[in-house]
Amino acid sequence: MRAYLFDMDGTLVDSASTILASHASAFAALGMEPPAPATLLALVGVSLIPTYEALVGPDGPVEDLVARYRDAFRSRVSAPGHRERLFPGADAVLRRLAARPGTALGLVTGKSRRGVTRILDAEGWGPLFATVQTADDAPSKPHPAMALQALAAIGAEPGDAVVIGDTTFDVEMARAAGLRAIGVDWGHHGPDLLRAAGAERIISSFDELDP
């Protein structure tokens, strides 16, 4: 079984504007100035608690910020007509790979299961994925648990699997689990950072992912 494990935010889905607006609301609710957008986007892919620990320190109002962020995010994504933009080619590559015999797809994402389910339902992607690993199921990236749990669910060996992601957290998770990693150049970490973290190659289009 050949396995492709995809990150979601910054790889398949362009949710940057929603993420930034939700962070801004969380900090504003506590009377705090939010960090610069580049600082916030650099942490996309990490689960919320370690994200806010990195931003305000472990002794800061981490739990309050997490709660405010979740409220703000849910309010935005549940607004009538809201739909996150997909990166070009995302839908096509998932459907092409899912239809290939001997191939299984997985999601390994720092989003909550509720947030992932919303996108899977909106895009009709649920049947395409043999396993979905979220922030609710495992420690935050770059811990290897998500990748290892995905492999176990699919029944694939590390040597037959690859992680596709946009951040060093994705690459480091893959390497820690014994998997290959492919970086995308349209996400939140640049190609040089992805290569330094261990990505075997960088793609500029989903058409480059597999013949």
Side-chain angles (χ1 to χ4, degrees), residues 175-186:
R175 303 295 292 174
L179 281 66
R180 296 153 47 228
I182 294 174
V184 304
D185 72 358
W186 55 80

Side-chain angles (χ1 to χ4, degrees), residues 2-19:
R2 192 173 186 185
Y4 292 81
L5 307 181
F6 286 88
D7 170 57
M8 181 168 275
D9 289 322
T11 301
L12 297 172
V13 177
D14 184 3
S15 50
S17 61
T18 303
I19 289 170

Side-chain angles (χ1 to χ4, degrees), residues 52-62:
Y52 281 115
E53 286 177 342
L55 293 172
V56 301
D59 297 325
V62 172

Side-chain angles (χ1 to χ4, degrees), residues 8-9 13 15 18 48 69-70 73-74 77-78 82-84 107 109-123 125 132-137:
M8 181 168 275
D9 289 322
V13 177
S15 50
T18 303
L48 285 176
Y69 177 93
R70 285 177 173 156
F73 192 90
R74 289 168 184 164
V77 300
S78 62
H82 178 88
R83 191 167 182 177
E84 303 287 10
L107 272 178
T109 172
K111 296 179 78 67
S112 69
R113 183 161 292 275
R114 177 175 177 173
V116 171
T117 299
R118 175 181 55 80
I119 291 175
L120 295 182
D121 290 347
E123 303 301 332
W125 286 353
V132 176
Q133 303 295 324
T134 74
D136 299 333
D137 308 310

Side-chain angles (χ1 to χ4, degrees), residues 54-207:
L55 293 172
V56 301
D59 297 325
V62 172
E63 296 290 346
D64 285 342
L65 284 166
V66 168
R68 300 285 187 169
Y69 177 93
R70 285 177 173 156
D71 287 345
F73 192 90
R74 289 168 184 164
S75 176
R76 282 173 173 77
V77 300
S78 62
H82 178 88
R83 191 167 182 177
E84 303 287 10
R85 184 177 74 89
L86 304 183
F87 286 107
D91 184 76
V93 75
L94 293 179
R95 296 186 186 280
R96 173 169 56 84
L97 291 174
R100 181 177 297 173
T103 298
L105 304 187
L107 272 178
V108 284
T109 172
K111 296 179 78 67
S112 69
R113 183 161 292 275
R114 177 175 177 173
V116 171
T117 299
R118 175 181 55 80
I119 291 175
L120 295 182
D121 290 347
E123 303 301 332
W125 286 353
L128 304 182
F129 290 99
T131 182
V132 176
Q133 303 295 324
T134 74
D136 299 333
D137 308 310
S140 177
K141 300 173 187 177
H143 194 284
M146 279 190 203
L148 293 173
Q149 289 171 189
L151 290 185
I154 290 171
E157 296 297 324
D160 296 322
V162 61
V163 170
I164 301 96
D166 70 301
T167 70
T168 58
F169 312 122
D170 299 307
V171 176
E172 291 165 0
M173 174 190 67
R175 303 295 292 174
L179 281 66
R180 296 153 47 228
I182 294 174
V184 304
D185 72 358
W186 55 80
H188 300 305
H189 291 178
D192 289 343
L193 288 176
L194 296 172
R195 289 191 188 94
E200 67 173 37
R201 63 191 178 100
I202 310 297
I203 60 173
S204 298
S205 164
F206 278 121
D207 290 339

